[in-house]
Amino acid sequence: MNHQKILVLDYGSQVTQLIARRIREQNVYCEIHPGDVSPAFIREFGARGIILSGSHLSAYDADAIPVAPVVFELGVPVLGICYGMQAMARHFGGEVQGSDHREFGAATVRARGHTRLLDGIQDRQNDEGHGLLDVWMSHGDKVTRLPEGFKLMASTDSCPIAGMADEERGFYAVQFHPEVTHTKRGADILRRFVRDLAGCSGDWAMPGFIEEQVEAIRKQVGDKHVILGLSGGVDSSVAAALLHKAIGKQLTCVFVDHGLLRLGEAEQVMETFARHLGVNVIHVDATQDFMGKLAGVTDPEAKRKIIGKEFVEVFQREAGKIENARWLAQGTIYPDVIESAGAKTGKAKTIKSHHNVGGLPETLNLKLLEPLRDLFKDEVRKLGIALGLPHDMVYRHPFPGPGLGVRILGEVKQEFADLLRRADHIFTSELRNTRASVQDVAAGLATQEQVGNTWYELTSQAFAVFLPVKSVGVMGDGRTYEYVVALRAVQTQDFMTAHWAHLPHELLGRLSNRIINEVRGVNRVVYDISGKPPATIEWE
């Protein structure tokens, strides 16, 4: 790409992705790479500025990853965050020590030095005229002596050096995390760095991306055929739309219905792609195959592996019928790539591996095509809208690859899937049809700005879970002994942490009544009020 670029060097922080997301929000392109990439790579990347991430390590540990000297030799601005600040300080001769007072959570920072990075950026002022910033801290170490040439930029009561700068060379560092939403002016700080200090004009936008990718796909594929496993999820759907725009009839999508989809999902996928967009889609109903393999299996990981393996087998069988197929397209997105990468030394932690990153079954004899691998989820959604996909499809809540298989606790049975499908549909339908009201504002459930938005829009993810337990109930004059359904709705910025959604009681009551009355086999509905952490968003 010929865009102006920012390089983010990752030293193992669990929130490094957020740095890149905040920069992309400024229409500035950036990439994350492990902190121990080669000096040659750093030179050749052509960054306008470099950001050093946080880490789970201490900068003085024997196995800590030092900052490569080349970072400070390129003549571009550098911003160190948390560990990045400490590593920068040590590189230039400053001192870093463990602190008696660890800071994890909200803090107030005084902006001491009027540097270009923080000039005019503040939440309020104290009596001494210092600008105050409400920030998020997460550190047990701190810089105790400034390196030569650096001046104090910010401080807190327990961290006297909470920011430092060598403005002559363009080096800045902060102990707090501007990338998290808890730092209220964090986006402004990152914008100041990438726009004003690094001189990026903001030339990264979706229309340009479409043009670039269409040209790149055509050049890469040539006259060969591409097959895509279409799940109906956002990523694979947008990948299909982009590929269809680029190569038209050279694309065949294989839609494998494992019997664990949401209500009406198969019909929606076929309607959108085969009939509306004119994409060639092969619909394979493999419900019986999947249900047979899942019979008697209760362990969540075992269920995931069975579903994944069976999906590959069905897909391979169908792909073998397509002539001239040379490419397999996947909806891999940038977080998948980042989380699976880690560092070559192993010091920067790999968060988790992804099934669609790192290779293909050799038996496929296909080359890999990943047209979305440079995009974050919010960028994928914007791309989907730009390509003409329906808003409701592009902005649907996340749905796990194994589908309802991991929302049915214990053994997966056809009757359980049918029951859960109907309960889940009632839940999401009521959320879509119920709008936040002024009464919700008075009750503290919504803000004035959110009035009129649907509760589906105000929740980040919402779904029903089938519990393999029965409870006693009464319907009419008779005793019932039927199943329990749990409802789960969360609100989150990044899915790394989440709060349970405080839905209106009237809505919850209506949901319970509808599910019990309309879904035969359920006589009790419960609402999950667990946050993440300690719980996860999904139950399995």
Side-chain angles (χ1 to χ4, degrees):
M1 295 182 180
N2 296 319
H3 297 283
Q4 300 165 341
K5 296 182 289 188
I6 296 293
L7 174 61
V8 179
L9 293 177
D10 179 24
Y11 296 93
S13 169
Q14 298 295 295
V15 294
T16 301
Q17 282 192 37
L18 297 183
I19 302 173
R21 287 184 60 186
R22 299 293 172 257
I23 294 171
R24 296 273 188 97
E25 288 168 1
Q26 312 294 342
N27 291 332
V28 175
Y29 185 75
C30 70
E31 290 182 8
I32 297 173
H33 291 278
D36 55 0
V37 292
S38 70
F41 175 88
I42 295 173
R43 282 195 198 92
E44 294 166 7
F45 185 82
R48 289 288 189 99
I50 297 176
I51 297 179
L52 314 176
S53 84
S55 177
H56 58 290
L57 300 168
S58 293
Y60 48 78
D61 285 346
D63 60 346
I65 305 173
V67 181
V70 66
V71 167
F72 304 109
E73 297 167 358
L74 295 175
V76 300
V78 180
L79 173 63
I81 296 174
C82 198
Y83 173 93
M85 170 174 165
Q86 298 160 14
M88 183 187 294
R90 283 178 58 83
H91 179 86
F92 288 107
E95 290 185 1
V96 178
Q97 296 178 1
S99 175
D100 294 333
H101 184 83
R102 296 154 65 90
E103 286 186 299
F104 294 96
T108 299
V109 165
R110 290 187 294 275
R112 297 281 189 178
H114 296 287
T115 64
R116 289 184 64 196
L117 181 69
L118 297 183
D119 186 31
I121 299 177
Q122 62 186 43
D123 291 300
R124 57 193 181 281
Q125 282 189 345
N126 62 12
D127 294 339
E128 300 172 334
H130 291 132
L132 300 180
L133 288 166
D134 295 322
V135 304
W136 189 260
M137 291 280 198
S138 181
H139 69 104
D141 302 324
K142 61 184 180 182
V143 176
T144 55
R145 181 169 61 81
L146 285 170
E148 186 176 349
F150 283 76
K151 68 177 181 178
L152 182 64
M153 182 169 65
S155 65
T156 71
D157 292 338
S158 59
C159 185
I161 304 176
M164 63 183 194
D166 181 336
E167 294 210 272
E168 186 174 334
R169 291 184 288 182
F171 302 151
Y172 300 84
V174 292
Q175 187 58 65
F176 56 89
H177 287 267
E179 68 271 30
V180 302
T181 56
H182 303 77
T183 298
K184 295 179 180 178
R185 301 298 300 274
D188 295 328
I189 294 171
L190 291 174
R191 179 182 178 86
R192 175 70 55 79
F193 179 77
V194 301
R195 287 297 195 102
D196 296 347
L197 301 181
C200 296
S201 60
D203 62 353
W204 167 251
M206 204 48 64
F209 176 83
I210 293 175
E211 294 175 8
E212 291 171 1
Q213 281 302 102
V214 165
E215 182 180 348
I217 291 166
R218 288 172 178 168
K219 183 176 180 180
Q220 189 173 5
V221 171
D223 62 353
K224 304 304 180 185
H225 209 85
V226 177
I227 54 177
L228 168 71
L230 182 61
S231 68
V234 174
D235 300 335
S236 69
S237 296
V238 174
L242 178 60
L243 286 165
H244 181 67
K245 181 177 179 65
I247 58 175
K249 295 185 181 301
Q250 290 173 248
L251 170 68
T252 296
C253 296
V254 179
F255 175 59
V256 179
D257 184 351
H258 48 33
L260 298 167
L261 300 173
R262 290 167 284 200
L263 188 67
E265 187 155 24
E267 293 79 5
Q268 181 190 27
V269 169
M270 295 304 294
E271 178 69 30
T272 299
F273 287 95
R275 287 179 279 277
H276 179 62
L277 295 179
V279 179
N280 182 23
V281 183
I282 299 172
H283 180 194
V284 183
D285 186 351
T287 300
Q288 296 308 313
D289 294 336
F290 281 87
M291 290 300 172
K293 296 288 177 63
L294 290 167
V297 180
T298 59
D299 180 73
E301 283 304 305
K303 289 193 291 184
R304 287 179 180 274
K305 290 178 181 177
I306 289 170
I307 293 170
K309 183 174 182 293
E310 186 65 18
F311 184 91
V312 170
E313 290 179 359
V314 174
F315 181 82
Q316 283 183 281
R317 186 168 64 240
E318 296 300 323
K321 302 175 185 177
I322 301 172
E323 295 183 4
N324 199 33
R326 296 292 182 272
W327 295 90
L328 173 67
Q330 293 187 156
T332 307
I333 63 175
Y334 199 38
D336 301 338
V337 177
I338 298 167
E339 292 177 350
S340 298
K344 60 186 175 69
T345 61
K347 295 175 184 176
K349 290 183 177 178
T350 297
I351 298 173
K352 58 183 175 182
S353 59
H354 287 261
H355 70 280
N356 57 345
V357 177
L360 300 169
E362 293 183 5
T363 52
L364 271 177
N365 297 315
L366 298 172
K367 292 182 285 187
L368 186 60
L369 183 63
E370 297 173 315
L372 308 181
R373 68 177 287 121
D374 292 326
L375 301 184
F376 285 100
K377 177 71 80 173
D378 53 339
E379 294 171 323
V380 172
R381 295 187 194 279
K382 292 176 183 176
L383 174 60
I385 295 297
L387 289 167
L389 289 177
H391 183 278
D392 285 350
M393 172 176 277
V394 172
Y395 281 91
R396 282 190 305 176
H397 289 177
F399 189 63
L404 301 181
V406 290
R407 291 179 179 173
I408 298 171
L409 304 194
E411 183 180 5
V412 176
K413 296 182 179 181
Q414 183 72 59
E415 63 176 296
F416 297 166
D418 292 340
L419 181 154
L420 180 59
R421 212 182 329 268
R422 295 196 300 274
D424 186 77
H425 180 69
I426 291 171
F427 188 18
T428 54
S429 296
E430 285 290 345
L431 290 175
R432 289 183 187 276
N433 294 330
T434 306
R435 298 182 181 276
S437 65
V438 291
Q439 290 80 8
D440 294 333
V441 176
L445 305 178
T447 65
Q448 190 64 48
E449 293 75 20
Q450 293 171 333
V451 171
N453 289 332
T454 69
W455 277 102
Y456 188 86
E457 295 169 324
L458 297 178
T459 53
S460 307
Q461 192 168 358
F463 54 90
V465 179
F466 175 84
L467 307 185
V469 295
K470 289 186 173 182
S471 70
V472 174
V474 177
M475 289 187 181
D477 295 324
R479 174 186 183 275
T480 63
Y481 189 57
E482 295 178 328
Y483 290 108
V484 180
V485 164
L487 303 181
R488 176 77 157 144
V490 299
Q491 294 169 319
T492 177
Q493 293 287 328
D494 50 33
F495 289 89
M496 295 179 181
T497 62
H499 300 287
W500 62 275
H502 292 233
L503 300 180
H505 289 181
E506 182 181 348
L507 171 58
L508 289 172
R510 188 163 64 249
L511 283 165
S512 178
N513 286 338
R514 281 199 62 190
I515 291 171
I516 291 171
N517 285 320
E518 298 177 30
V519 182
R520 188 173 295 276
V522 176
N523 70 353
R524 192 176 298 270
V525 175
V526 298
Y527 188 56
D528 183 348
I529 58 170
S530 310
K532 177 188 179 182
T536 55
I537 294 175
E538 295 283 351
W539 278 46
E540 286 193 343

